[in-house]
Every structure is written in structure tokens, then in C-alpha cells.
Short mmCIF file of all heavy atoms in Angstrom, two decimals:
data_model
loop_
_atom_site.label_atom_id
_atom_site.label_comp_id
_atom_site.label_asym_id
_atom_site.label_seq_id
_atom_site.Cartn_x
_atom_site.Cartn_y
_atom_site.Cartn_z
N LEU A 3 0.29 11.70 6.22
CA LEU A 3 0.83 12.32 7.42
C LEU A 3 0.15 13.69 7.62
O LEU A 3 -0.24 14.05 8.74
CB LEU A 3 2.31 12.45 7.43
CG LEU A 3 3.04 12.68 8.76
CD1 LEU A 3 2.79 11.47 9.71
CD2 LEU A 3 4.52 12.88 8.55
N GLY A 4 0.08 14.45 6.58
CA GLY A 4 -0.53 15.82 6.61
C GLY A 4 -1.97 15.70 7.02
O GLY A 4 -2.53 16.49 7.82
N ILE A 5 -2.68 14.75 6.47
CA ILE A 5 -4.15 14.50 6.77
C ILE A 5 -4.27 14.10 8.30
O ILE A 5 -5.09 14.59 8.94
CB ILE A 5 -4.73 13.46 5.90
CG1 ILE A 5 -4.84 13.99 4.51
CG2 ILE A 5 -6.10 12.98 6.37
CD1 ILE A 5 -5.37 13.00 3.44
N LEU A 6 -3.38 13.24 8.73
CA LEU A 6 -3.42 12.86 10.11
C LEU A 6 -3.06 14.02 11.10
O LEU A 6 -3.73 14.14 12.20
CB LEU A 6 -2.42 11.71 10.39
CG LEU A 6 -2.84 10.32 9.79
CD1 LEU A 6 -1.71 9.35 9.92
CD2 LEU A 6 -4.12 9.82 10.51
N ASN A 7 -2.24 14.89 10.67
CA ASN A 7 -1.88 16.09 11.44
C ASN A 7 -3.18 17.01 11.58
O ASN A 7 -3.46 17.48 12.66
CB ASN A 7 -0.80 16.85 10.89
CG ASN A 7 0.60 16.19 11.24
OD1 ASN A 7 0.69 15.41 12.17
ND2 ASN A 7 1.58 16.54 10.43
N SER A 8 -3.88 17.13 10.47
CA SER A 8 -5.06 17.92 10.48
C SER A 8 -6.14 17.28 11.35
O SER A 8 -6.83 17.95 12.18
CB SER A 8 -5.65 18.04 9.12
OG SER A 8 -4.78 18.77 8.26
N TYR A 9 -6.24 15.94 11.30
CA TYR A 9 -7.19 15.22 12.17
C TYR A 9 -6.89 15.38 13.60
O TYR A 9 -7.74 15.66 14.47
CB TYR A 9 -7.20 13.72 11.77
CG TYR A 9 -8.18 12.86 12.54
CD1 TYR A 9 -9.46 12.61 12.10
CD2 TYR A 9 -7.77 12.34 13.83
CE1 TYR A 9 -10.37 11.85 12.82
CE2 TYR A 9 -8.68 11.54 14.56
CZ TYR A 9 -9.92 11.32 14.09
OH TYR A 9 -10.79 10.59 14.79
N SER A 10 -5.60 15.25 13.98
CA SER A 10 -5.19 15.31 15.32
C SER A 10 -5.37 16.75 15.90
O SER A 10 -5.56 16.92 17.15
CB SER A 10 -3.67 14.92 15.50
OG SER A 10 -3.48 13.63 15.09
N ALA A 11 -5.32 17.78 15.04
CA ALA A 11 -5.48 19.14 15.45
C ALA A 11 -6.95 19.49 15.75
O ALA A 11 -7.21 20.55 16.38
CB ALA A 11 -4.90 20.08 14.44
N MET A 12 -7.87 18.63 15.28
CA MET A 12 -9.33 18.97 15.41
C MET A 12 -9.89 18.61 16.80
O MET A 12 -9.40 17.61 17.33
CB MET A 12 -10.12 18.20 14.38
CG MET A 12 -9.94 18.61 12.92
SD MET A 12 -10.94 17.59 11.84
CE MET A 12 -10.68 18.41 10.31
N SER A 13 -10.87 19.35 17.20
CA SER A 13 -11.56 18.97 18.41
C SER A 13 -12.62 17.89 17.94
O SER A 13 -12.86 17.67 16.75
CB SER A 13 -12.34 20.17 19.01
OG SER A 13 -13.27 20.64 18.12
N ASP A 14 -13.30 17.26 18.93
CA ASP A 14 -14.30 16.29 18.62
C ASP A 14 -15.41 16.91 17.79
O ASP A 14 -15.93 16.27 16.87
CB ASP A 14 -14.90 15.71 19.92
CG ASP A 14 -13.88 14.75 20.58
OD1 ASP A 14 -12.97 14.30 19.99
OD2 ASP A 14 -14.08 14.56 21.86
N GLU A 15 -15.81 18.14 18.13
CA GLU A 15 -16.91 18.80 17.45
C GLU A 15 -16.51 19.08 15.95
O GLU A 15 -17.31 18.95 15.06
CB GLU A 15 -17.27 20.12 18.11
CG GLU A 15 -17.86 19.88 19.49
CD GLU A 15 -16.87 19.75 20.61
OE1 GLU A 15 -15.60 19.94 20.33
OE2 GLU A 15 -17.20 19.33 21.72
N GLU A 16 -15.21 19.47 15.77
CA GLU A 16 -14.80 19.79 14.39
C GLU A 16 -14.76 18.49 13.54
O GLU A 16 -15.20 18.53 12.40
CB GLU A 16 -13.37 20.37 14.41
CG GLU A 16 -13.24 21.75 15.01
CD GLU A 16 -11.85 22.24 15.16
OE1 GLU A 16 -11.17 22.31 14.19
OE2 GLU A 16 -11.48 22.43 16.40
N ARG A 17 -14.40 17.40 14.14
CA ARG A 17 -14.39 16.11 13.43
C ARG A 17 -15.78 15.72 13.07
O ARG A 17 -16.07 15.22 11.98
CB ARG A 17 -13.72 14.97 14.25
CG ARG A 17 -12.23 15.23 14.46
CD ARG A 17 -11.63 14.33 15.51
NE ARG A 17 -10.29 14.58 15.79
CZ ARG A 17 -9.62 14.21 16.97
NH1 ARG A 17 -10.31 13.56 17.80
NH2 ARG A 17 -8.41 14.56 17.11
N THR A 18 -16.71 15.88 13.98
CA THR A 18 -18.16 15.47 13.77
C THR A 18 -18.72 16.39 12.61
O THR A 18 -19.31 15.90 11.70
CB THR A 18 -18.95 15.64 14.98
OG1 THR A 18 -18.43 14.81 16.04
CG2 THR A 18 -20.47 15.32 14.71
N ALA A 19 -18.48 17.69 12.72
CA ALA A 19 -18.99 18.66 11.74
C ALA A 19 -18.44 18.42 10.35
O ALA A 19 -19.06 18.55 9.30
CB ALA A 19 -18.78 20.08 12.13
N SER A 20 -17.18 17.91 10.30
CA SER A 20 -16.43 17.71 9.01
C SER A 20 -16.60 16.30 8.52
O SER A 20 -16.14 15.95 7.38
CB SER A 20 -14.98 17.99 9.18
OG SER A 20 -14.78 19.37 9.66
N ASN A 21 -17.23 15.40 9.33
CA ASN A 21 -17.38 14.02 9.02
C ASN A 21 -16.04 13.33 8.85
O ASN A 21 -15.86 12.40 8.07
CB ASN A 21 -18.23 13.84 7.71
CG ASN A 21 -18.72 12.40 7.53
OD1 ASN A 21 -18.94 11.64 8.50
ND2 ASN A 21 -18.86 11.92 6.33
N TRP A 22 -15.07 13.70 9.72
CA TRP A 22 -13.78 13.05 9.74
C TRP A 22 -13.92 11.96 10.87
O TRP A 22 -13.63 12.20 11.99
CB TRP A 22 -12.68 14.08 10.03
CG TRP A 22 -12.32 14.88 8.88
CD1 TRP A 22 -13.12 15.42 7.93
CD2 TRP A 22 -10.99 15.24 8.42
NE1 TRP A 22 -12.36 16.06 7.00
CE2 TRP A 22 -11.13 16.05 7.30
CE3 TRP A 22 -9.71 15.05 9.01
CZ2 TRP A 22 -9.97 16.58 6.62
CZ3 TRP A 22 -8.64 15.56 8.30
CH2 TRP A 22 -8.73 16.33 7.20
N THR A 23 -14.29 10.78 10.47
CA THR A 23 -14.59 9.73 11.38
C THR A 23 -13.37 8.93 11.83
O THR A 23 -12.35 9.00 11.12
CB THR A 23 -15.56 8.72 10.72
OG1 THR A 23 -14.95 8.13 9.61
CG2 THR A 23 -16.90 9.45 10.24
N PRO A 24 -13.43 8.12 12.91
CA PRO A 24 -12.39 7.27 13.16
C PRO A 24 -11.96 6.33 12.10
O PRO A 24 -10.79 5.96 11.86
CB PRO A 24 -12.90 6.48 14.43
CG PRO A 24 -13.88 7.45 15.07
CD PRO A 24 -14.47 8.14 13.87
N SER A 25 -12.93 5.92 11.32
CA SER A 25 -12.66 5.01 10.08
C SER A 25 -11.80 5.79 9.12
O SER A 25 -10.87 5.20 8.54
CB SER A 25 -13.93 4.60 9.51
OG SER A 25 -13.66 3.83 8.34
N PHE A 26 -12.10 7.04 8.94
CA PHE A 26 -11.32 7.85 8.00
C PHE A 26 -9.88 7.97 8.51
O PHE A 26 -8.93 7.88 7.72
CB PHE A 26 -12.00 9.26 7.88
CG PHE A 26 -11.19 10.26 7.11
CD1 PHE A 26 -11.00 10.08 5.68
CD2 PHE A 26 -10.69 11.42 7.71
CE1 PHE A 26 -10.30 11.01 5.04
CE2 PHE A 26 -10.00 12.36 6.98
CZ PHE A 26 -9.81 12.14 5.58
N ARG A 27 -9.80 8.25 9.86
CA ARG A 27 -8.43 8.32 10.45
C ARG A 27 -7.67 6.99 10.28
O ARG A 27 -6.45 6.99 9.92
CB ARG A 27 -8.61 8.66 11.90
CG ARG A 27 -7.31 8.59 12.72
CD ARG A 27 -7.62 8.37 14.20
NE ARG A 27 -8.20 7.05 14.39
CZ ARG A 27 -8.95 6.68 15.46
NH1 ARG A 27 -9.17 7.59 16.40
NH2 ARG A 27 -9.40 5.53 15.53
N ASP A 28 -8.28 5.88 10.52
CA ASP A 28 -7.63 4.61 10.44
C ASP A 28 -7.22 4.29 9.02
O ASP A 28 -6.14 3.64 8.84
CB ASP A 28 -8.61 3.42 10.98
CG ASP A 28 -8.87 3.58 12.42
OD1 ASP A 28 -8.18 4.28 13.16
OD2 ASP A 28 -9.88 2.95 12.91
N ASN A 29 -7.97 4.68 8.08
CA ASN A 29 -7.58 4.48 6.68
C ASN A 29 -6.37 5.33 6.34
O ASN A 29 -5.47 4.88 5.54
CB ASN A 29 -8.74 4.89 5.75
CG ASN A 29 -9.82 3.82 5.65
OD1 ASN A 29 -9.61 2.63 5.87
ND2 ASN A 29 -11.02 4.27 5.36
N ALA A 30 -6.27 6.54 6.86
CA ALA A 30 -5.11 7.34 6.68
C ALA A 30 -3.90 6.69 7.30
O ALA A 30 -2.75 6.75 6.70
CB ALA A 30 -5.27 8.76 7.17
N VAL A 31 -4.04 6.18 8.53
CA VAL A 31 -2.92 5.52 9.16
C VAL A 31 -2.44 4.28 8.36
O VAL A 31 -1.23 4.13 8.10
CB VAL A 31 -3.31 5.05 10.53
CG1 VAL A 31 -2.25 4.19 11.21
CG2 VAL A 31 -3.62 6.20 11.48
N ALA A 32 -3.38 3.52 7.92
CA ALA A 32 -3.01 2.35 7.09
C ALA A 32 -2.28 2.78 5.83
O ALA A 32 -1.34 2.10 5.37
CB ALA A 32 -4.30 1.52 6.72
N SER A 33 -2.83 3.81 5.19
CA SER A 33 -2.16 4.31 3.89
C SER A 33 -0.74 4.77 4.23
O SER A 33 0.19 4.44 3.41
CB SER A 33 -2.95 5.52 3.37
OG SER A 33 -2.30 6.00 2.23
N TYR A 34 -0.55 5.50 5.35
CA TYR A 34 0.81 5.95 5.68
C TYR A 34 1.73 4.77 5.95
O TYR A 34 2.86 4.78 5.42
CB TYR A 34 0.70 6.81 6.97
CG TYR A 34 2.05 7.24 7.52
CD1 TYR A 34 2.76 8.26 7.00
CD2 TYR A 34 2.63 6.50 8.59
CE1 TYR A 34 4.02 8.59 7.50
CE2 TYR A 34 3.85 6.82 9.08
CZ TYR A 34 4.51 7.92 8.55
OH TYR A 34 5.74 8.28 9.02
N LYS A 35 1.31 3.81 6.65
CA LYS A 35 2.17 2.72 7.00
C LYS A 35 2.53 1.84 5.77
O LYS A 35 3.66 1.42 5.59
CB LYS A 35 1.52 1.82 8.12
CG LYS A 35 1.51 2.49 9.42
CD LYS A 35 0.88 1.62 10.54
CE LYS A 35 0.95 2.28 11.92
NZ LYS A 35 0.41 1.36 12.97
N SER A 36 1.53 1.59 4.93
CA SER A 36 1.71 0.83 3.76
C SER A 36 2.65 1.52 2.78
O SER A 36 3.60 0.92 2.15
CB SER A 36 0.43 0.47 3.02
OG SER A 36 -0.25 1.67 2.56
N THR A 37 2.52 2.89 2.63
CA THR A 37 3.41 3.60 1.75
C THR A 37 4.82 3.62 2.28
O THR A 37 5.79 3.39 1.47
CB THR A 37 2.90 5.05 1.67
OG1 THR A 37 1.56 5.08 1.20
CG2 THR A 37 3.81 5.90 0.73
N ASN A 38 4.98 3.77 3.56
CA ASN A 38 6.29 3.69 4.18
C ASN A 38 6.96 2.34 4.01
O ASN A 38 8.21 2.21 3.77
CB ASN A 38 6.25 4.07 5.67
CG ASN A 38 6.59 5.56 5.91
OD1 ASN A 38 7.09 6.25 5.00
ND2 ASN A 38 6.27 6.02 7.06
N HIS A 39 6.13 1.27 4.14
CA HIS A 39 6.69 -0.07 3.97
C HIS A 39 7.17 -0.22 2.54
O HIS A 39 8.27 -0.82 2.37
CB HIS A 39 5.60 -1.07 4.30
CG HIS A 39 5.99 -2.52 4.10
ND1 HIS A 39 6.99 -3.08 4.85
CD2 HIS A 39 5.58 -3.49 3.25
CE1 HIS A 39 7.16 -4.36 4.51
NE2 HIS A 39 6.30 -4.64 3.54
N ILE A 40 6.37 0.18 1.57
CA ILE A 40 6.81 0.04 0.14
C ILE A 40 8.06 0.84 -0.10
O ILE A 40 9.00 0.37 -0.80
CB ILE A 40 5.66 0.53 -0.78
CG1 ILE A 40 4.50 -0.44 -0.64
CG2 ILE A 40 6.13 0.60 -2.22
CD1 ILE A 40 3.22 -0.02 -1.42
#
């Protein structure tokens, strides 16, 4: 959740410069949901 908050706070340029890709975001979402399910 903290990683997703950081991602959501970034502008498109910050994400590009940091290499925080949509795939990275989607992996964080999947991890959050699976952890909550467990």
C-alpha cells in the first residue's frame, strides 16, 4: 500500500525517470490483494 501511495503521488515524468512502470504498479496491486486475501 505504501509503494502504491508513492506511485500514485508521482507525475508521469517521475515514474519514467524512476522506472516505476505500470507493470511494477500492477505487481504491487496484486501483492496487496493477495496478502489481504490471505
Side-chain angles (χ1 to χ4, degrees):
L3 196 63
I5 290 175
L6 288 170
N7 283 339
S8 294
Y9 181 93
S10 298
M12 291 179 175
S13 64
D14 289 340
E15 294 82 12
E16 290 171 64
R17 292 168 187 159
T18 300
S20 303
N21 195 31
W22 283 40
T23 64
S25 176
F26 174 66
R27 175 204 62 202
D28 293 344
N29 283 333
V31 172
S33 176
Y34 172 80
K35 290 183 176 180
S36 62
T37 301
N38 263 346
H39 179 63
I40 292 172

